[in-house]
Each structure stands twice: as structure tokens, then as C-alpha cells.
Amino acid sequence: GDSVTQMEGPVTLSEEAFLTINCTYTATGYPSLFWYVQYPGEGLQLLLKATKADDKGSNKGFEATYRKETTSFHLEKGSVQVSDSAVYFCSGAGGTSYGKLTFGQGTILTVHP
Amino acid sequence: NAGVTQTPKFQVLKTGQSMTLQCAQDMNHNSMYWYRQDPGMGLRLIYYSASEGTTDKGEVPNGYNVSRLNKREFSLRLESAAPSQTSVYFCASRVRGSLGTSGGYTGELFFGEGSRLTVL
């Protein structure tokens, strides 16, 4: 079945540091890929997405590019802020799974001033 | 702008008790989902409903039942709660989006704020 492999955390960075969180997805075909963010005490919310190979999703300074060859969708941000501290989830909607999204384990990011 | 609304937000049960988690969405989405979130396990799909009138098992359905009451509402029931069901439960609905290159739809999930359940 479909699976998502996400970089394990937690990740601790200083403010203005560069962030990368790795994600790869295994599925039949080329699924749509998503990054969700969960702030403390809240539900998940969509951060960005890419719906086909070579697409780049971006939002709030975060970017991720859908690499077809490796089915990877690594999340990056050039300069993190304290307010970026949250849990980040990679997710995919497999081409043969109408409606079901598969999630990675989540990566806890803590940014210190 | 209610989006996805879950009730209750917190609940403590004793082993063997039953309860129902309620979920409603006002975005006219066809698909609805129940996930549970446990430390180190990410989100695991319990049940989903691709459209009104249909429900299907997800990854971890044992011990749960669901009802898609209408297009707006999707409830999750624990008939006899067990400590292993202590978790945070999230309801979600999905916008369909367009048909992707692989045949699946491209829409994303919209989540409720979660229901924290403790079974003693």
C-alpha cells in the first residue's frame, strides 16, 4: 500500500536558521503531495501542496518541490522564526486511493530565539 | 466560517463505557474522515466516508463504528472503550479538487480542532 517516510525529529533550530524536513512517498503512480502544520492545541492545517511532478508548493516562506524521480517532497525554509515552532506532517493522496490520504509520523520543530 | 466542528473537545471514560464523537462540516464536502493521533505514530485513519451513504474501514478500525448521518455529519462511536483508545481524534473533510495525473483527486483535507479522549 501507500506509505510516507518522513524525517524523524525533533528538530531544534535557532531563529533565522535554514530548515529542511525530508519526505518521500511510495505509491502507485504519482500522487498529490501535501505538507500540513499543527500548532499546539490545534488541528492540522494545510501549509502547501503539489499536485503533479515538478510542481513547487509555497506558503509563508516554506517551499517544497515534487521530485518525480524519487517521489520526494522535502520541506524547506530559508530563515525560520520562533512562530514556526510546530509539528509538520507530510502527506500524500495515492493515485489509486480516491479520498484517502496517508500521513507521515510528523516532525516536531522547535525554534529558539 | 465554522469549517469542521467536533464535539466534545475533551472526554474521560472508564473502560467499557461507550461514547460518540460528533463531527459536522459546513463546506459541502463529499468525503469525511476520522483519524487518531498518537505520539510517534502520526495520524492513522480509522474510518472514512467517500460520499454520503458510504463508509469504509481505514487502517485501524477495530473497536470503532461510524455513521454518515447526512452530507454534513459523520460520527464515530466507541461501543466499549479500552485504554488503548486513549488518543486525540480528528475529524476531517476533503475538498475534491481536480482529477490528478494519476487518477486520484488533488484536494486537501480540512481538520477539526480535535477531541482528546482518555480511557481509564
Side-chain angles (χ1 to χ4, degrees):
Chain A
D2 296 353
S3 66
V4 173
T5 302
Q6 184 175 341
M7 170 182 169
E8 294 185 12
V11 175
T12 302
L13 295 173
S14 297
E15 205 165 25
E16 299 184 1
F18 183 84
L19 169 70
T20 299
I21 302 177
N22 292 339
C23 173
T24 57
Y25 186 91
T26 302
T28 302
Y30 299 104
S32 297
L33 298 174
F34 309 85
W35 277 101
Y36 287 85
V37 59
Q38 183 181 30
Y39 298 103
E42 299 182 9
L44 282 73
Q45 55 186 279
L46 180 69
L47 180 60
L48 52 82
K49 72 178 188 181
T51 59
K52 60 182 185 293
D54 299 324
D55 262 3
K56 176 188 281 189
S58 61
N59 186 28
K60 299 181 181 179
F62 291 89
E63 293 184 342
T65 301
Y66 190 154
R67 304 291 185 190
K68 181 174 65 175
E69 302 80 13
T70 54
T71 322
S72 64
F73 195 51
H74 305 324
L75 183 69
E76 296 181 336
K77 187 173 185 182
S79 177
V80 294
Q81 305 300 313
V82 173
S83 57
D84 294 326
S85 298
V87 184
Y88 293 82
F89 291 92
C90 185
S91 175
T96 58
S97 300
Y98 290 80
K100 290 196 294 183
L101 272 71
T102 302
F103 284 84
Q105 293 184 346
T107 301
I108 301 172
L109 170 66
T110 302
V111 181
H112 293 297
Chain B
N1 292 341
V4 179
T5 303
Q6 291 180 234
T7 57
K9 288 188 168 42
F10 300 93
Q11 184 72 48
V12 178
L13 292 176
K14 295 181 180 177
T15 298
Q17 288 185 319
S18 63
M19 77 158 297
T20 299
L21 297 175
Q22 307 286 354
C23 175
Q25 54 94 7
D26 62 2
M27 295 173 285
N28 202 36
H29 292 164
N30 286 320
S31 302
M32 297 185 72
Y33 308 78
W34 277 105
Y35 287 88
R36 60 178 288 174
Q37 183 180 26
D38 302 292
M41 302 293 289
L43 270 74
R44 293 183 292 170
L45 182 63
I46 305 171
Y47 270 94
Y48 71 104
S49 171
S51 61
E52 186 179 358
T54 68
T55 60
D56 286 285
K57 295 178 180 179
E59 187 181 352
V60 289
N62 291 344
Y64 305 95
N65 286 302
V66 290
S67 295
R68 184 73 184 267
L69 304 170
N70 47 55
K71 191 171 185 179
R72 290 186 64 249
E73 298 173 288
F74 188 40
S75 62
L76 178 72
R77 182 161 179 83
L78 287 70
E79 290 291 351
S80 179
S84 61
Q85 294 178 305
T86 294
S87 187
V88 180
Y89 292 84
F90 288 99
C91 178
S93 66
R94 188 181 184 197
V95 61
R96 175 171 282 189
S98 57
L99 195 60
T101 53
S102 296
Y105 288 99
T106 62
E108 65 268 22
L109 291 174
F110 291 78
F111 285 86
E113 293 185 348
S115 298
R116 184 175 295 275
L117 175 64
T118 301
V119 183
L120 303 175

